[in-house]
Amino acid sequence: MISSPVTFHVVPMEITHAEDICQWNYEPPYNIYGWQPWDQMQELGIEFGDPELRSQQYVSVVNDQNKLCGFAQLFPMEGVVRLGIGMSPYLCGKGLGKLFVDSVVKTALTRYPDWEIDLEVLTWNQRAIRTYRKCGFTITDTYERRTPTGQKPFYCMVYDK
């Protein structure tokens, strides 16, 4: 646990943030959350490698020293904004999840005040599920989705405003 208070700030995702995120390496089994190399992301124009998508849907989460701590995607659907959340592997498991996720939820509530907020999480990721529950999310559905390593079971969790 980190004992000193940490404040997270949500800011527009800069290219340097995107490059850094592509270099993050998570320990198994969390390595499924890694990204392709930055040059490939740009070349393919996928996710935050697409400048327009990056500016519309992606944000960076930084601390008081403006150090990159993670990112989020706020994916707009019909009356729902789906969150995709990624914390720096150096901060995972240190008790900062609730503060981190709360900062992303606050941004989603500001951008989409009348919309439902949800997210998807792999059913085995109990660490994330515990955090999301602490932040006010409830499991509402279970289904399978394609991942880079095949079909996997996911929970949909909805934020209780």
Side-chain angles (χ1 to χ4, degrees):
M1 294 285 260
I2 293 180
S3 56
S4 61
V6 176
T7 305
F8 291 113
H9 307 278
V10 176
V11 299
M13 182 181 281
E14 299 173 11
I15 288 178
T16 56
H17 296 159
E19 287 179 77
D20 288 348
I21 292 164
C22 288
Q23 295 175 37
W24 288 351
N25 292 307
Y26 295 92
E27 293 293 319
Y30 302 101
N31 55 336
I32 192 170
Y33 297 116
W35 293 92
Q36 294 177 331
W38 174 240
D39 57 342
Q40 286 181 3
M41 299 270 292
Q42 283 188 300
E43 189 176 309
L44 296 171
I46 56 172
E47 301 299 339
F48 49 79
D50 174 335
E52 190 173 323
L53 198 59
R54 183 173 59 248
S55 69
Q56 291 173 357
Q57 295 183 15
Y58 283 90
V59 293
S60 294
V61 180
V62 299
N63 64 15
D64 284 333
Q65 291 75 44
N66 209 33
K67 182 171 172 25
L68 180 65
C69 298
F71 70 92
Q73 180 182 22
L74 285 75
F75 183 77
M77 302 187 304
E78 191 69 33
V80 177
V81 59
R82 174 151 296 157
L83 304 182
I85 299 171
M87 181 183 266
S88 164
Y90 309 107
L91 297 176
C92 291
K94 298 201 183 336
L96 297 171
K98 182 174 183 337
L99 290 171
F100 185 89
V101 173
D102 282 346
S103 70
V104 173
V105 168
K106 183 179 174 187
T107 299
L109 288 168
T110 301
R111 285 193 187 183
Y112 303 98
D114 300 324
W115 290 20
E116 182 174 275
I117 299 170
D118 76 5
L119 53 80
E120 295 176 316
V121 60
L122 285 156
T123 58
W124 59 259
N125 193 346
Q126 292 302 309
R127 184 171 72 185
I129 293 164
R130 277 192 305 275
T131 297
Y132 299 146
R133 281 191 164 129
K134 287 178 191 171
C135 293
F137 286 86
T138 304
I139 296 171
T140 58
D141 198 8
T142 306
Y143 45 85
E144 292 218 342
R145 256 194 58 215
R146 191 169 54 86
T147 72
T149 58
Q151 290 290 113
K152 301 288 181 198
F154 282 81
Y155 291 133
C156 179
M157 298 184 76
V158 175
Y159 180 71
D160 180 15
K161 292 183 182 180

